[in-house]
Amino acid sequence: MQRRRFRHALYAAPALALIALFVYYPIVENIRLSLFKFSVFQPGMRYVGLENYRQALQDPVFWKALANNLCYAVTSVIFQVGAALVLAAILEAVIGRRLRGLLRTVYFIPAAVSMTVAGLLFQFLYQPDAGLINSALDTLGLGRFAHDWLGDPDTSIWGVINMSQWQSFGYTTMLLTVAVQRIPRELYEAATVDGAGRIRTFFAVTVPMVREMTTLLVILTVSGAFLVFNEVMVMTGGGPSNSSQTLGTWLYASAFTGDDMGYAAAVGTVMFVITFVAGAVQLLHSRRKAVAA
């Protein structure tokens, strides 16, 4: 028995070493660097303790970026988990088999488009003069609603969020469709015998039976929302007037434009803490529900 355990540990050691080197060591090193002020153009590092974190608390752009990430996370959970689950249930319960396969393909196509291409596509759609959205509004006689969607500080981040939902919605729908397919048909038949309608069946059977998948998707969606970078950089670059900055883009700007590496490391640490806490809370909540059930 001891020899077998040693052999198993020996097999796992290379993977654990790689994880420690490329995951845990960078996290610890980033936390250490967040306690210093330093520049890539000048030698030496000056220890400042928690000064970088105090700077973040007093930085209005940091709070704007955090608010944008929160909007991103809430919107993504609503659409990429909630609405995607509803659509997955409809595909399996209402739509015919042949049409179901076609719709799955149609919904999944945006997920196959690269983030850069999707960002450039939506950037064209949002163009104030020649963009498809404003042109459609003019055609429908709603020209008064035409807008510079990415050039207005009030709507720029929502333009980026809309693009992200379009690209990711089909992917999460397909994952939830697989989860719905694994639910035993007997449970739906029993619900029908008991007189439950489609809506009641959805909440009483479908939602509880796909809890593991929805928990995983919520964790991935929230974590991804706080790590957003490419979408913003491609479409707005954080502008106008920092209105569409996220924590990821503000970290990049602070490090490579402002040359404030210590502050950027502090922002990165905040991102890690938020995603770690959000994932841990969701896992604990899911486990408590599973035990109670």
Side-chain angles (χ1 to χ4, degrees):
M1 180 64 70
Q2 293 295 334
R3 183 178 299 177
R4 180 181 299 177
R5 289 180 179 177
F6 176 76
R7 187 166 59 249
H8 292 171
L10 190 63
Y11 290 152
L16 294 175
L18 290 174
I19 292 174
L21 179 62
F22 293 105
V23 177
Y24 296 111
Y25 171 72
I27 291 174
V28 174
E29 181 66 8
N30 184 81
I31 295 174
R32 186 185 73 84
L33 293 176
S34 69
L35 304 177
F36 293 85
K37 282 286 187 182
F38 62 101
S39 168
V40 294
F41 301 106
Q42 297 177 358
M45 300 172 63
R46 180 168 58 90
Y47 178 78
V48 295
L50 299 178
E51 179 60 32
N52 288 319
Y53 296 96
R54 284 192 288 268
Q55 179 182 341
L57 294 177
Q58 298 170 2
D59 185 359
V61 180
F62 171 83
W63 289 109
K64 179 63 177 177
L66 179 59
N68 288 339
N69 281 113
L70 287 172
C71 292
Y72 215 109
V74 172
T75 305
S76 296
V77 169
I78 292 174
F79 285 96
Q80 295 181 33
V81 181
L85 178 57
V86 173
L87 179 59
I90 292 175
L91 286 174
E92 289 302 310
V94 180
I95 307 299
R97 180 171 299 179
R98 292 184 179 179
L99 182 59
R100 186 189 308 165
L102 174 62
L103 291 177
R104 287 176 187 165
T105 303
V106 172
Y107 292 139
F108 187 77
I109 286 176
V113 179
S114 73
M115 185 63 68
T116 301
V117 173
L120 293 174
L121 170 63
F122 270 77
Q123 194 176 46
F124 175 75
L125 294 177
Y126 287 133
Q127 284 291 328
D129 298 323
L132 182 61
I133 294 177
N134 284 348
S135 298
L137 291 174
D138 289 334
T139 302
L140 295 173
L142 301 173
R144 64 184 181 278
F145 295 110
H147 199 68
D148 185 2
W149 303 99
L150 297 180
D152 187 342
D154 294 329
T155 58
S156 57
I157 188 61
W158 293 107
V160 178
I161 291 174
N162 290 338
M163 184 279 293
S164 179
Q165 306 312 306
W166 171 83
Q167 189 187 40
S168 303
F169 181 76
Y171 179 72
T172 56
T173 299
M174 292 305 100
L175 293 178
L176 288 167
T177 298
V178 173
V180 172
Q181 289 175 344
R182 296 176 60 185
I183 300 176
R185 297 296 99 183
E186 293 81 1
L187 297 178
Y188 288 108
E189 294 172 1
T192 302
V193 171
D194 290 340
R198 293 189 184 275
I199 297 177
R200 179 70 179 275
T201 301
F202 174 76
F203 286 103
V205 178
T206 304
V207 173
M209 294 301 295
V210 297
R211 181 181 296 124
E212 291 184 1
M213 179 60 74
T214 53
T215 299
L216 175 62
L217 286 178
V218 167
I219 293 173
L220 294 177
T221 300
V222 173
S223 299
F226 280 96
L227 300 176
V228 169
F229 180 80
N230 292 338
E231 301 93 309
V232 178
M233 293 300 293
V234 170
M235 297 183 68
T236 66
S241 302
N242 292 318
S243 61
S244 61
Q245 292 281 8
T246 60
L247 291 177
T249 58
W250 187 233
L251 182 157
Y252 178 87
S254 300
F256 300 107
T257 302
D259 192 29
D260 193 349
M261 293 295 177
Y263 178 63
V267 175
T269 301
V270 172
M271 293 171 61
F272 166 71
V273 171
I274 291 175
T275 54
F276 179 81
V277 171
V281 169
Q282 183 62 30
L283 282 174
L284 290 174
H285 179 67
S286 177
R287 287 180 180 178
R288 287 180 180 177
K289 275 193 171 183
V291 172

